[in-house]
Amino acid sequence: MRGVMEITKGVRLHFIQSEKFKTNKIKVRFSAPMSKETVAGRVLTASMLETVNAVYPTSQAFRERLANLYGADYSTSLSRRGLVHYLDINLSFVRDKFLSRKNVLTDAMLDFLKASLFSPLVSQDAFDESAFEIEKKNILNDLEAEIENHFYHVHRELDKLFYEEEEMQMPRVGTIELIQKETAVSSFAAFQQMLQENQIDFFFIGDFNEVAVREKIQSFNFAPRQQELQLVYQQEYSNVLREGLEQKDVHQSIIELAYHFPIQYGEGEHLPLVVLNALLGGFAHSKLFVNVREKEGLAYTISSNFDIFSGMMRIYAGIDRSNRTRTVALINRQILDLKRGNFSLEELNQTKKMLKNSVLLAQDRQNTILERAYMSSVLGKKFLSLKAWLEALEQVRKDDIIKAAGQLKLQAIYFMEGK
């Protein structure tokens, strides 16, 4: 059972009653436009929120409180879709059914959440300086480690080449330069802006007393807000191929290709594109894996994925430097084969079957159910229910794949050349 209610403009509660899971889960999602001005402040806010607050002013007190709530879990995460940046607070805890007293734990968890949001560890108009500096240092260390991850680095460089808008080139976790500039004052200001202006969605999955929960959240006294959010980003295709090259003192080289497509969520070619991607590089029987890696031995690793909200399909491969030209030619050949219909009905049906199984398996995860509830609320009639999605998948024919493949146009290539 699922219900949505708005407690004030721009603040919504979503209830998904379910006895399927041993834990209850609450997710609070703050949605804002992706912006160079706020992304780093939000990243640092997320880090501060999951460490300390004025009620539990040390990380030890913070963790002890959670341990006393039957080992409850409290964390934050950052993500993005199109031009929207999300900061999520995730709480999970044992369902009342497994405890001797009723409604106690939900209430205690919401109190804990309230302390995070409304009793942060601050002095005047800034996060506590010493706690803030520790978090800032940790984030900078994490970002430096990410950059050492060569695939992450090449992903970023390809994004810079492919996307025209600066906000689309920016990672969900900001950049080292932006984080370095942040202060305890500027991050606290970003946090206040988040509380006052962001669209807020509360998701409750599990066993909840909806009336009691609604009353509790109403006591948070959120002000009404209206946040303009652009979930879908689409840029024009440019017939100038954008290329990037760098040399690094590493053993493995990486090649990444970005293809432009104009297909959008829920359109007729959306599901054919899903199947096309799976056929191309989503599974072990996919064309890239079988033909480039297995038969020709050109890649250590190879895969494809696409983002329906930003019009880019990415193919990436870890290769030897000397195999660059052959690999790119063979990757392009796989796309050409899809455009020409050079694939069997058996391959198509196997791909559809594997997609169906993976989608059904994902329904056993609370996060999948929450994301579907969120997408349903933001996309409205465009949203494909699970039933509609599976029916649309069944209807995908060979001609549909050929048509969707015809929309793919190579826009950018980035090559990190190793030794």
Side-chain angles (χ1 to χ4, degrees), residues 5 7 11 13 15 26 65 91 93 103-115 117-118 202 204 208-222:
M5 57 185 78
I7 56 167
V11 182
L13 308 185
F15 288 99
I26 301 172
R65 177 58 183 150
L91 302 89
F93 51 98
N103 291 331
V104 197
L105 212 42
T106 299
D107 220 38
M109 288 306 287
L110 288 172
D111 283 338
F112 193 86
L113 174 68
K114 191 172 186 176
L117 296 177
F118 301 106
F202 284 83
F204 300 89
F208 289 97
N209 175 335
E210 294 188 18
V211 176
V213 167
R214 186 178 68 213
E215 281 175 9
K216 188 88 173 176
I217 305 293
Q218 276 171 331
S219 77
F220 287 19
N221 287 327
F222 286 111

Side-chain angles (χ1 to χ4, degrees), residues 301-364:
T301 177
I302 189 163
S303 194
S304 69
N305 56 49
F306 73 97
D307 182 354
I308 194 70
F309 296 104
S310 69
M312 185 225 269
M313 176 179 276
R314 183 193 307 268
I315 295 175
Y316 54 93
I319 62 172
D320 283 331
R321 182 178 70 169
S322 57
N323 291 332
R324 174 190 175 183
T325 312
R326 281 177 66 208
T327 307
V328 172
L330 199 53
I331 287 172
N332 282 327
R333 176 65 195 272
Q334 307 316 305
I335 300 244
L336 200 57
D337 277 351
L338 291 172
K339 289 182 178 182
R340 290 175 174 167
N342 293 341
F343 55 94
S344 66
L345 285 177
E346 190 187 347
E347 283 175 289
L348 176 59
N349 290 330
Q350 186 189 0
T351 303
K352 283 160 67 170
K353 194 174 171 183
M354 289 176 83
L355 276 168
K356 180 181 177 178
N357 289 343
S358 62
V359 163
L360 289 173
L361 271 175
Q363 297 310 304
D364 288 334

Side-chain angles (χ1 to χ4, degrees), residues 155-163 168-169 312 314:
H155 276 15
R156 273 212 60 202
E157 294 302 321
L158 188 75
D159 286 351
K160 286 184 205 167
L161 273 182
F162 180 87
Y163 294 116
M168 289 303 298
Q169 299 170 6
M312 185 225 269
R314 183 193 307 268

Side-chain angles (χ1 to χ4, degrees), residues 26-31 42 46 49-50 75-79 85-91 194 201 203 367 371:
I26 301 172
K27 184 189 279 284
V28 191
R29 169 163 290 173
F30 293 87
S31 306
R42 292 166 70 82
L49 288 177
E50 67 173 17
S75 64
T76 58
S77 54
L78 298 139
S79 56
H85 192 242
Y86 302 123
L87 190 160
D88 291 351
I89 300 174
N90 309 293
L91 302 89
M194 176 184 116
D201 290 277
F203 298 91
N367 272 341
E371 284 304 325

Side-chain angles (χ1 to χ4, degrees), residues 11-157:
V11 182
R12 297 178 298 195
L13 308 185
H14 308 252
F15 288 99
I16 305 153
Q17 295 287 2
S18 165
E19 298 200 353
K20 191 175 179 179
F21 306 100
K22 282 187 177 160
T23 54
N24 278 334
K25 188 174 174 84
I26 301 172
K27 184 189 279 284
V28 191
R29 169 163 290 173
F30 293 87
S31 306
M34 188 72 184
S35 155
K36 189 179 173 181
E37 269 59 62
T38 57
V39 67
R42 292 166 70 82
V43 170
L44 282 151
T45 290
S47 209
M48 289 295 289
L49 288 177
E50 67 173 17
T51 321
V52 288
N53 55 48
V55 183
Y56 307 101
T58 65
S59 57
Q60 189 186 346
F62 192 94
R63 293 289 147 207
E64 274 176 6
R65 177 58 183 150
L66 289 169
N68 290 336
L69 296 170
Y70 302 90
D73 188 64
Y74 177 101
S75 64
T76 58
S77 54
L78 298 139
S79 56
R80 68 168 307 157
R81 271 196 192 93
L83 283 161
V84 183
H85 192 242
Y86 302 123
L87 190 160
D88 291 351
I89 300 174
N90 309 293
L91 302 89
S92 75
F93 51 98
V94 181
R95 265 177 52 203
D96 274 353
K97 183 183 173 183
F98 304 100
L99 304 173
S100 52
R101 293 163 67 204
K102 299 293 170 211
N103 291 331
V104 197
L105 212 42
T106 299
D107 220 38
M109 288 306 287
L110 288 172
D111 283 338
F112 193 86
L113 174 68
K114 191 172 186 176
S116 278
L117 296 177
F118 301 106
S119 306
L121 192 61
V122 292
S123 55
Q124 290 164 327
D125 288 333
F127 280 124
D128 176 80
E129 193 71 45
S130 59
F132 178 81
E133 285 305 323
I134 292 168
E135 293 312 308
K136 184 173 175 177
K137 190 179 174 194
N138 290 342
I139 289 167
L140 287 170
N141 288 340
D142 289 348
L143 283 175
E144 275 156 15
E146 285 274 37
I147 288 163
E148 288 305 307
N149 172 336
H150 299 124
F151 273 104
Y152 175 83
H153 170 68
V154 178
H155 276 15
R156 273 212 60 202
E157 294 302 321

Side-chain angles (χ1 to χ4, degrees), residues 44 54 85 126-127 173 244 248 255 260 264 270 399:
L44 282 151
H85 192 242
F127 280 124
V173 289
K248 275 208 168 190
I255 186 87
H260 175 281
Q264 296 200 0
H270 177 187
D399 284 352

Side-chain angles (χ1 to χ4, degrees), residues 252-284:
Q252 185 179 321
S253 298
I254 297 173
I255 186 87
E256 288 210 6
L257 298 87
Y259 292 81
H260 175 281
F261 63 82
I263 301 160
Q264 296 200 0
Y265 183 95
E267 289 182 349
E269 283 160 19
H270 177 187
L271 262 291
L273 186 64
V274 172
V275 180
L276 179 156
N277 175 63
L279 199 55
L280 178 66
F283 294 114

Side-chain angles (χ1 to χ4, degrees), residues 289-308:
F289 193 83
V290 171
N291 298 328
V292 184
R293 185 177 177 217
E294 299 291 289
K295 285 186 186 167
E296 296 295 327
L298 290 174
Y300 302 109
T301 177
I302 189 163
S303 194
S304 69
N305 56 49
F306 73 97
D307 182 354
I308 194 70

